[in-house]
Amino acid sequence: AQSVAQPEDQVNVAEGNPLTVKCTYSVSGNPYLFWYVQYPNRGLQFLLKYITGDNLVKGSYGFEAEFNKSQTSFHLKKPSALVSDSALYFCAVRDVNNAGNMLTFGGGTRLMVKP
Amino acid sequence: DTEVTQTPKHLVMGMTNKKSLKCEQHMGHRAMYWYKQKAKKPPELMFVYSYEKLSINESVPSRFSPECPNSSLLNLHLHALQPEDSALYLCASSPRGRGPSSAGTDTQYFGPGTRLTVL
């Protein structure tokens, strides 16, 4: 079984400050990890993914995420937040043994960036 | 181009109506998905098509009927829906279908969704 948790329903940060959106996962094998962003009344946009290799993954719009196997975490980060980053963020996991190619999503974290 | 298109953007229907949602991608992807998303909740998987064949049905009620006419198109036929079926319906696609474990590395690309309201 695979699962993912986003412990914070909402994260508030001031514009220009660094932001972190937390994600922890549970899989039986090795994980494939994804971050998506969703703006109001829109579909999910892919930000970045971790498959293997370097633990620090760089993605779209200046976002990056760090894979930490010992802590089973994949936190999303950005050095300097923009008001336009305000949106709903979803972490997702797929177990390498999951031939069904099914993603399991976390509950989502709403990021609010204030001017 | 990583675009998945969905029509219509909005749909309002009565409980006795029959309607269809359409999804299209021209990226040559061989896996396509339907998700249902309630407000402020994560997407819930409904169906997966792999190489134009239904490979996963997540115990979805029969009032939802998927169809994959070809590798670029995915439809969701709706009949006798209930008000609780009101939601954002998302289509997604990924390059490879179900099978080799390496397909698990594939990214799913989502369309903008259809906002469905059932009266």
Short mmCIF file of all heavy atoms in Angstrom, two decimals, chain A residues 50-90:
data_model
loop_
_atom_site.label_atom_id
_atom_site.label_comp_id
_atom_site.label_asym_id
_atom_site.label_seq_id
_atom_site.Cartn_x
_atom_site.Cartn_y
_atom_site.Cartn_z
N TYR A 50 10.58 13.29 -8.29
CA TYR A 50 11.79 12.56 -7.91
C TYR A 50 11.61 11.11 -8.34
O TYR A 50 10.62 10.46 -7.98
CB TYR A 50 12.03 12.62 -6.41
CG TYR A 50 13.14 11.70 -5.99
CD1 TYR A 50 14.47 12.08 -6.13
CD2 TYR A 50 12.88 10.42 -5.52
CE1 TYR A 50 15.50 11.23 -5.78
CE2 TYR A 50 13.91 9.55 -5.18
CZ TYR A 50 15.21 9.97 -5.32
OH TYR A 50 16.23 9.10 -5.00
N ILE A 51 12.59 10.64 -9.11
CA ILE A 51 12.58 9.25 -9.53
C ILE A 51 13.78 8.53 -8.91
O ILE A 51 13.64 7.52 -8.23
CB ILE A 51 12.61 9.12 -11.06
CG1 ILE A 51 11.41 9.86 -11.67
CG2 ILE A 51 12.62 7.65 -11.47
CD1 ILE A 51 10.07 9.38 -11.19
N THR A 52 14.96 9.07 -9.16
CA THR A 52 16.18 8.50 -8.60
C THR A 52 17.27 9.55 -8.75
O THR A 52 17.07 10.59 -9.38
CB THR A 52 16.57 7.20 -9.33
OG1 THR A 52 17.67 6.60 -8.66
CG2 THR A 52 16.96 7.47 -10.77
N GLY A 53 18.41 9.31 -8.12
CA GLY A 53 19.53 10.22 -8.31
C GLY A 53 19.60 11.30 -7.26
O GLY A 53 19.33 11.05 -6.07
N ASP A 54 19.96 12.50 -7.68
CA ASP A 54 20.16 13.63 -6.78
C ASP A 54 18.92 13.87 -5.92
O ASP A 54 17.81 13.94 -6.44
CB ASP A 54 20.48 14.88 -7.60
CG ASP A 54 21.03 16.01 -6.74
OD1 ASP A 54 20.94 15.93 -5.50
OD2 ASP A 54 21.56 16.97 -7.33
N ASN A 55 19.13 13.99 -4.61
CA ASN A 55 17.99 14.16 -3.71
C ASN A 55 17.32 15.52 -3.86
O ASN A 55 16.17 15.69 -3.46
CB ASN A 55 18.45 13.98 -2.26
CG ASN A 55 18.78 12.53 -1.95
OD1 ASN A 55 18.38 11.62 -2.69
ND2 ASN A 55 19.52 12.32 -0.89
N LEU A 56 18.00 16.49 -4.40
CA LEU A 56 17.42 17.81 -4.61
C LEU A 56 16.95 17.91 -6.05
O LEU A 56 17.74 17.82 -6.99
CB LEU A 56 18.44 18.91 -4.30
CG LEU A 56 17.91 20.34 -4.37
CD1 LEU A 56 16.82 20.56 -3.31
CD2 LEU A 56 19.03 21.34 -4.19
N VAL A 57 15.65 18.10 -6.18
CA VAL A 57 15.04 18.15 -7.51
C VAL A 57 14.59 19.58 -7.78
O VAL A 57 13.92 20.18 -6.94
CB VAL A 57 13.83 17.21 -7.59
CG1 VAL A 57 13.18 17.29 -8.96
CG2 VAL A 57 14.23 15.78 -7.26
N LYS A 58 14.94 20.09 -8.93
CA LYS A 58 14.51 21.43 -9.31
C LYS A 58 13.37 21.32 -10.32
O LYS A 58 13.39 20.45 -11.20
CB LYS A 58 15.67 22.23 -9.88
CG LYS A 58 16.76 22.52 -8.85
CD LYS A 58 17.81 23.45 -9.38
CE LYS A 58 18.92 23.69 -8.35
NZ LYS A 58 18.39 24.36 -7.13
N GLY A 59 12.39 22.22 -10.17
CA GLY A 59 11.23 22.15 -11.04
C GLY A 59 10.86 23.50 -11.62
O GLY A 59 11.67 24.41 -11.72
N SER A 60 9.58 23.61 -11.96
CA SER A 60 9.07 24.82 -12.60
C SER A 60 8.91 25.95 -11.61
O SER A 60 8.73 25.72 -10.41
CB SER A 60 7.71 24.52 -13.25
OG SER A 60 7.78 23.43 -14.12
N TYR A 61 8.94 27.18 -12.13
CA TYR A 61 8.63 28.41 -11.38
C TYR A 61 9.53 28.60 -10.16
O TYR A 61 9.11 29.23 -9.18
CB TYR A 61 7.16 28.41 -10.95
CG TYR A 61 6.19 28.04 -12.05
CD1 TYR A 61 5.35 26.94 -11.93
CD2 TYR A 61 6.12 28.77 -13.22
CE1 TYR A 61 4.47 26.59 -12.94
CE2 TYR A 61 5.25 28.44 -14.24
CZ TYR A 61 4.42 27.34 -14.09
OH TYR A 61 3.56 26.99 -15.10
N GLY A 62 10.74 28.07 -10.20
CA GLY A 62 11.68 28.27 -9.10
C GLY A 62 11.50 27.35 -7.92
O GLY A 62 12.19 27.50 -6.90
N PHE A 63 10.58 26.41 -8.03
CA PHE A 63 10.37 25.45 -6.95
C PHE A 63 11.40 24.33 -6.98
O PHE A 63 11.91 23.96 -8.04
CB PHE A 63 8.97 24.84 -7.03
CG PHE A 63 7.88 25.76 -6.57
CD1 PHE A 63 7.20 26.55 -7.47
CD2 PHE A 63 7.54 25.83 -5.22
CE1 PHE A 63 6.20 27.41 -7.04
CE2 PHE A 63 6.54 26.68 -4.79
CZ PHE A 63 5.87 27.47 -5.70
N GLU A 64 11.67 23.79 -5.81
CA GLU A 64 12.53 22.63 -5.68
C GLU A 64 12.02 21.77 -4.54
O GLU A 64 11.22 22.23 -3.72
CB GLU A 64 13.99 23.05 -5.43
CG GLU A 64 14.20 23.88 -4.19
CD GLU A 64 15.63 24.42 -4.10
OE1 GLU A 64 16.27 24.61 -5.16
OE2 GLU A 64 16.08 24.66 -2.98
N ALA A 65 12.44 20.53 -4.52
CA ALA A 65 12.02 19.63 -3.45
C ALA A 65 13.19 18.73 -3.09
O ALA A 65 14.00 18.36 -3.94
CB ALA A 65 10.81 18.80 -3.87
N GLU A 66 13.23 18.38 -1.81
CA GLU A 66 14.32 17.53 -1.33
C GLU A 66 13.79 16.19 -0.87
O GLU A 66 12.94 16.13 0.02
CB GLU A 66 15.07 18.22 -0.19
CG GLU A 66 16.31 17.43 0.25
CD GLU A 66 17.22 18.25 1.14
OE1 GLU A 66 16.81 19.32 1.61
OE2 GLU A 66 18.36 17.79 1.36
N PHE A 67 14.30 15.15 -1.48
CA PHE A 67 13.94 13.79 -1.10
C PHE A 67 14.81 13.36 0.07
O PHE A 67 16.04 13.46 0.02
CB PHE A 67 14.16 12.84 -2.28
CG PHE A 67 14.00 11.39 -1.95
CD1 PHE A 67 12.77 10.89 -1.54
CD2 PHE A 67 15.08 10.50 -2.03
CE1 PHE A 67 12.61 9.54 -1.23
CE2 PHE A 67 14.93 9.16 -1.74
CZ PHE A 67 13.69 8.67 -1.33
N ASN A 68 14.16 12.91 1.15
CA ASN A 68 14.88 12.44 2.32
C ASN A 68 14.36 11.04 2.66
O ASN A 68 13.28 10.89 3.22
CB ASN A 68 14.68 13.39 3.50
CG ASN A 68 15.56 13.03 4.69
OD1 ASN A 68 15.68 11.86 5.05
ND2 ASN A 68 16.16 14.02 5.31
N LYS A 69 15.15 10.05 2.30
CA LYS A 69 14.69 8.67 2.46
C LYS A 69 14.53 8.28 3.93
O LYS A 69 13.58 7.59 4.31
CB LYS A 69 15.64 7.70 1.76
CG LYS A 69 15.13 6.27 1.71
CD LYS A 69 16.01 5.40 0.85
CE LYS A 69 15.43 3.99 0.73
NZ LYS A 69 16.22 3.12 -0.16
N SER A 70 15.47 8.72 4.77
CA SER A 70 15.41 8.32 6.17
C SER A 70 14.21 8.92 6.89
O SER A 70 13.64 8.30 7.80
CB SER A 70 16.70 8.74 6.89
OG SER A 70 16.84 10.15 6.88
N GLN A 71 13.80 10.10 6.47
CA GLN A 71 12.63 10.74 7.06
C GLN A 71 11.37 10.52 6.22
O GLN A 71 10.30 11.04 6.58
CB GLN A 71 12.89 12.24 7.25
CG GLN A 71 14.03 12.54 8.22
CD GLN A 71 14.19 14.02 8.50
OE1 GLN A 71 13.39 14.85 8.07
NE2 GLN A 71 15.24 14.37 9.24
N THR A 72 11.49 9.78 5.15
CA THR A 72 10.37 9.53 4.21
C THR A 72 9.64 10.83 3.91
O THR A 72 8.40 10.91 4.02
CB THR A 72 9.40 8.46 4.72
OG1 THR A 72 8.79 8.88 5.94
CG2 THR A 72 10.10 7.13 4.92
N SER A 73 10.41 11.84 3.52
CA SER A 73 9.80 13.14 3.24
C SER A 73 10.21 13.65 1.86
O SER A 73 11.22 13.23 1.29
CB SER A 73 10.21 14.16 4.31
OG SER A 73 11.60 14.45 4.24
N PHE A 74 9.41 14.55 1.37
CA PHE A 74 9.66 15.17 0.05
C PHE A 74 9.08 16.57 0.12
O PHE A 74 8.08 16.89 -0.52
CB PHE A 74 9.03 14.33 -1.05
CG PHE A 74 9.41 14.75 -2.45
CD1 PHE A 74 10.73 14.81 -2.85
CD2 PHE A 74 8.42 15.03 -3.39
CE1 PHE A 74 11.08 15.18 -4.15
CE2 PHE A 74 8.75 15.40 -4.69
CZ PHE A 74 10.08 15.47 -5.06
N HIS A 75 9.70 17.45 0.88
CA HIS A 75 9.17 18.80 1.10
C HIS A 75 9.45 19.70 -0.09
O HIS A 75 10.55 19.70 -0.66
CB HIS A 75 9.80 19.40 2.36
CG HIS A 75 9.56 18.62 3.61
ND1 HIS A 75 8.44 17.83 3.80
CD2 HIS A 75 10.30 18.51 4.76
CE1 HIS A 75 8.49 17.26 4.99
NE2 HIS A 75 9.61 17.65 5.59
N LEU A 76 8.45 20.50 -0.42
CA LEU A 76 8.55 21.47 -1.51
C LEU A 76 9.07 22.80 -0.95
O LEU A 76 8.60 23.25 0.09
CB LEU A 76 7.18 21.67 -2.15
CG LEU A 76 7.09 22.61 -3.34
CD1 LEU A 76 7.77 22.00 -4.56
CD2 LEU A 76 5.63 22.93 -3.66
N LYS A 77 9.99 23.41 -1.69
CA LYS A 77 10.59 24.65 -1.19
C LYS A 77 10.74 25.67 -2.31
O LYS A 77 10.81 25.31 -3.48
CB LYS A 77 11.96 24.36 -0.57
CG LYS A 77 11.92 23.40 0.59
CD LYS A 77 13.29 23.16 1.20
CE LYS A 77 13.20 22.19 2.36
NZ LYS A 77 14.52 21.98 3.03
N LYS A 78 10.81 26.92 -1.88
CA LYS A 78 11.13 28.00 -2.81
C LYS A 78 11.85 29.08 -2.02
O LYS A 78 11.37 29.45 -0.93
CB LYS A 78 9.87 28.54 -3.48
CG LYS A 78 10.16 29.55 -4.58
CD LYS A 78 8.88 29.94 -5.31
CE LYS A 78 9.21 30.92 -6.45
NZ LYS A 78 8.00 31.33 -7.19
N PRO A 79 12.96 29.60 -2.50
CA PRO A 79 13.75 30.56 -1.71
C PRO A 79 13.03 31.88 -1.45
O PRO A 79 13.22 32.48 -0.39
CB PRO A 79 15.00 30.78 -2.58
CG PRO A 79 15.05 29.62 -3.50
CD PRO A 79 13.63 29.21 -3.75
N SER A 80 12.21 32.32 -2.40
CA SER A 80 11.56 33.62 -2.26
C SER A 80 10.15 33.53 -2.84
O SER A 80 9.98 33.40 -4.05
CB SER A 80 12.38 34.69 -3.01
OG SER A 80 11.75 35.94 -2.91
N ALA A 81 9.16 33.59 -1.96
CA ALA A 81 7.77 33.39 -2.39
C ALA A 81 7.22 34.61 -3.11
O ALA A 81 7.57 35.77 -2.80
CB ALA A 81 6.90 33.09 -1.16
N LEU A 82 6.33 34.34 -4.06
CA LEU A 82 5.60 35.38 -4.78
C LEU A 82 4.13 35.29 -4.45
O LEU A 82 3.61 34.19 -4.19
CB LEU A 82 5.78 35.21 -6.30
CG LEU A 82 7.20 35.27 -6.85
CD1 LEU A 82 7.21 34.91 -8.33
CD2 LEU A 82 7.81 36.65 -6.62
N VAL A 83 3.44 36.42 -4.51
CA VAL A 83 1.99 36.40 -4.28
C VAL A 83 1.32 35.44 -5.26
O VAL A 83 0.36 34.73 -4.91
CB VAL A 83 1.40 37.82 -4.40
CG1 VAL A 83 -0.11 37.78 -4.35
CG2 VAL A 83 1.95 38.72 -3.30
N SER A 84 1.83 35.38 -6.47
CA SER A 84 1.25 34.51 -7.50
C SER A 84 1.47 33.02 -7.22
O SER A 84 0.91 32.17 -7.92
CB SER A 84 1.84 34.85 -8.88
OG SER A 84 3.25 34.75 -8.86
N ASP A 85 2.28 32.70 -6.22
CA ASP A 85 2.44 31.29 -5.82
C ASP A 85 1.26 30.79 -4.99
O ASP A 85 1.16 29.59 -4.71
CB ASP A 85 3.74 31.11 -5.02
CG ASP A 85 4.99 31.32 -5.85
OD1 ASP A 85 4.95 31.04 -7.06
OD2 ASP A 85 5.99 31.78 -5.27
N SER A 86 0.40 31.69 -4.57
CA SER A 86 -0.76 31.31 -3.76
C SER A 86 -1.63 30.35 -4.55
O SER A 86 -2.13 30.69 -5.63
CB SER A 86 -1.55 32.55 -3.35
OG SER A 86 -0.76 33.43 -2.59
N ALA A 87 -1.82 29.17 -4.02
CA ALA A 87 -2.54 28.12 -4.73
C ALA A 87 -2.63 26.90 -3.81
O ALA A 87 -2.18 26.93 -2.66
CB ALA A 87 -1.83 27.74 -6.02
N LEU A 88 -3.22 25.83 -4.34
CA LEU A 88 -3.33 24.56 -3.62
C LEU A 88 -2.26 23.62 -4.15
O LEU A 88 -2.14 23.44 -5.37
CB LEU A 88 -4.73 23.99 -3.83
CG LEU A 88 -5.15 22.75 -3.06
CD1 LEU A 88 -5.04 22.97 -1.56
CD2 LEU A 88 -6.59 22.37 -3.43
N TYR A 89 -1.49 23.05 -3.26
CA TYR A 89 -0.37 22.19 -3.65
C TYR A 89 -0.63 20.76 -3.21
O TYR A 89 -1.01 20.50 -2.06
CB TYR A 89 0.93 22.71 -3.04
CG TYR A 89 1.39 24.00 -3.67
CD1 TYR A 89 0.81 25.21 -3.29
CD2 TYR A 89 2.35 24.01 -4.67
CE1 TYR A 89 1.19 26.40 -3.90
CE2 TYR A 89 2.75 25.20 -5.27
CZ TYR A 89 2.16 26.38 -4.88
OH TYR A 89 2.53 27.56 -5.49
N PHE A 90 -0.40 19.83 -4.14
CA PHE A 90 -0.59 18.41 -3.86
C PHE A 90 0.71 17.65 -4.06
O PHE A 90 1.37 17.79 -5.09
CB PHE A 90 -1.64 17.80 -4.79
CG PHE A 90 -3.04 18.25 -4.54
CD1 PHE A 90 -3.64 19.20 -5.34
CD2 PHE A 90 -3.77 17.72 -3.48
CE1 PHE A 90 -4.95 19.62 -5.11
CE2 PHE A 90 -5.08 18.13 -3.23
CZ PHE A 90 -5.65 19.08 -4.05
#
